[in-house]
Amino acid sequence: MKIIILGAGQVGSSLASNLVSEANDITVVDHDATLLHNLQEHLDLRTIMGQAAHPDVLLKAGAEDADMLIAVTNSDETNMVACQIAYSVFHTPKKIARVREADFLKHKEIFGDRGLAVDVHISPEQLVTHYIERLIDYPDALQVLDFADGRVQLVAVKAYYGGPLVGQALRAFEDYLPNVETRIAAMFRRGKPIIPEGDTVIEVDDEVFFVAATDNIRAVMAGLRKLEQPCKRIMIAGGGNIGTRLASALEKKKYYVKLIEHNTNRTEIISEILNQTIVLQGDAADEDLLREENIDEMDIFCAVTNDEQINILSAMLAKRMGAHKVMALINRPAYVDLIESSTIDIAISPQQATIGTLLTHVRHGDVVVVHSLRRGAAEAIEAIAHGDKHTSKVVGRRIEQIKLPPGTTIGAIVRGEQVLMAHHDMVIKSEDHVILFLVDKRRIAAVERLFQVGILFL
């Protein structure tokens, strides 16, 4: 697939890295020569220096025969105009724009049939807010990802000493939870993947990914660790788009929320937007302020300012001063593993939250959800099976008959309103939503081919 990416920032470069590894023809456009040079040093792609929305720049980038344009510059206006020009001048089939400003998103007519030629618009702030919200709802989890409109979730949990099933084989789940269906999709031990089998023993510190119906998530988690009490008191550092959206979502769920913002004018604006949140003007890394606001009573401290250094420092300080769990928004992927090995419980990568949504629209076959996992190395997808046994490699076949690529497991099937955990003798039906986990995302092309419809034999 020939794809043009506008913007070589964190999101654009992460997306380029993901797509190049899947043998796509990628061209990246940016006005910053240094960013483009860094990309070319590490990735096999073309770069064009220039203004992303200019027709002559798009022409140089190959817009005349591009299959897709993905506009992820730092300017909403540039992204939207570039999509319109790609449609009007070059008839580019698919156009995706990153739109961060909430005011644009309020007016659906902007992107309607008579609006701008933007086929898909994504809001990183909305995606990150939803991601953090899920982590607060399930404070014992490392990741919580939705499938099938929220009916199924994939959850990552670290196994702790004292968990009822730690030290036991996976098949013990059936005895421990006789009335709950779950499927272990993958396990990582000391950073390396383990293919889960019935006799695989869960060890302390194993990272376990499991799939279950949303209503059963906490019951399954309780088998791997002693569950903490649900969170009630949240402190947010940063009153930007993410911090304000997060506070608004949490106060509606009856959490007790405090928000710290250093800018006086912004603090006044936030105070008018939020109804139940206590809004404080000050420095999130100010030890005296944190002490005055009883940081030691907070269940979660979440640092989401625009400065990742402030996020790191304030989260580390909050943890040292008694906050039960701390999270920090980290833009540089290289920092994430380093940070999570220190006193910070969860490092949130906005790129990873955004990349999955973008990849959903790039995948071949009918792929409706993509989640990028473990810094992009692994992936979880929801694909819809179409056709019949003559035109599909999966429909009409038992799961054990499907030739899945190495390191790929089927976790669950969503059939209409039913959520079914995958078993070896289960037969895939047409229109089933199949949830798969790939330990190695380089196998994605092989998975996509399984879900493409074509005449297999006559």
Side-chain angles (χ1 to χ4, degrees), residues 5 11-12 42 124 150 187 244 248 257 276 299 309 324 342 361 400 403 438:
I5 299 173
V11 172
H42 298 99
M187 293 173 60
T244 304
S248 178
V257 184
Q276 305 298 324
D299 297 309
Q309 292 184 345
H324 187 65
S342 67
H361 303 286
E400 63 185 1
K403 296 179 180 178
L438 291 80

Side-chain angles (χ1 to χ4, degrees), residues 174-442:
E174 294 182 19
D175 296 328
Y176 178 72
L177 296 169
N179 300 316
V180 173
E181 283 213 344
T182 186
R183 176 72 188 263
I184 305 301
M187 293 173 60
F188 290 83
R189 182 170 296 160
R190 291 180 285 277
K192 295 182 179 180
I194 298 171
I195 301 302
E197 306 286 352
D199 58 357
T200 303
V201 175
I202 302 169
E203 295 184 5
V204 172
D205 289 336
D206 280 354
E207 192 174 334
V208 181
F209 286 81
F210 69 86
V211 179
T214 300
D215 292 342
N216 296 330
I217 293 299
R218 287 188 64 83
V220 179
M221 290 173 66
L224 299 167
R225 55 177 295 153
K226 182 180 178 181
L227 294 188
E228 301 169 7
Q229 291 296 319
C231 294
K232 294 181 180 178
R233 304 170 72 87
I234 316 292
M235 183 177 285
I236 299 170
N241 288 335
I242 293 175
T244 304
R245 287 174 191 249
L246 181 60
S248 178
L250 293 177
E251 67 179 18
K252 289 173 184 174
K253 292 183 176 183
K254 307 302 181 184
Y255 286 99
Y256 175 79
V257 184
K258 290 184 178 181
L259 185 150
I260 301 174
E261 166 59 38
H262 72 91
N263 183 281
T264 304
N265 292 334
R266 179 64 183 170
T267 303
E268 293 175 1
I269 293 170
I270 298 169
S271 298
E272 295 179 2
I273 295 173
L274 301 173
N275 297 315
Q276 305 298 324
T277 300
I278 296 174
V279 181
L280 306 164
Q281 192 276 317
D283 181 357
D286 182 340
E287 189 171 354
D288 291 334
L289 175 61
L290 294 180
R291 185 179 294 108
E292 287 173 11
E293 296 303 327
N294 303 313
I295 186 64
D296 58 323
E297 296 179 2
M298 293 296 153
D299 297 309
I300 293 179
F301 177 89
C302 186
V304 291
T305 76
N306 292 325
D307 187 328
E308 66 182 5
Q309 292 184 345
I310 294 294
N311 294 341
I312 294 168
L313 289 172
S314 63
M316 293 177 72
L317 179 61
K319 186 73 171 183
R320 184 172 65 81
M321 294 181 69
H324 187 65
K325 187 170 187 176
V326 300
M327 307 177 187
L329 191 70
I330 309 294
N331 285 307
R332 299 185 209 188
Y335 281 11
V336 174
D337 288 327
L338 179 65
I339 294 305
E340 283 190 340
S341 64
S342 67
T343 54
I344 293 176
D345 297 296
I346 295 181
I348 300 156
S349 169
Q351 288 76 37
Q352 290 305 312
T354 305
I355 292 302
T357 301
L358 288 168
L359 291 177
T360 301
H361 303 286
V362 179
R363 296 286 181 236
H364 298 285
D366 195 352
V367 175
V368 293
V369 175
V370 175
H371 288 298
S372 185
L373 309 168
R374 294 190 62 82
R375 320 296 172 248
E379 218 167 81
I381 69 172
E382 176 184 340
I384 303 177
H386 296 294
D388 54 36
K389 63 181 181 181
H390 302 296
T391 59
S392 170
K393 295 176 182 176
V394 296
V395 174
R397 290 164 174 76
R398 297 191 304 274
I399 287 176
E400 63 185 1
Q401 295 176 313
I402 300 172
K403 296 179 180 178
L404 293 170
T408 303
T409 56
I410 294 177
I413 308 292
V414 181
R415 182 172 295 160
E417 295 300 315
Q418 284 184 293
V419 177
L420 308 170
M421 293 301 111
H423 298 289
H424 67 95
D425 57 351
M426 183 177 289
V427 176
I428 305 293
K429 295 183 179 181
S430 185
E431 304 310 311
D432 278 354
H433 286 236
V434 183
I435 297 166
L436 304 99
F437 190 102
L438 291 80
V439 168
D440 183 354
K441 75 171 292 276
R442 290 174 297 180

Side-chain angles (χ1 to χ4, degrees), residues 55-70:
D56 60 333
V57 174
L58 293 176
L59 181 64
K60 290 178 186 176
E64 282 185 315
D65 60 349
D67 299 299
M68 182 180 295
L69 180 138
I70 305 175

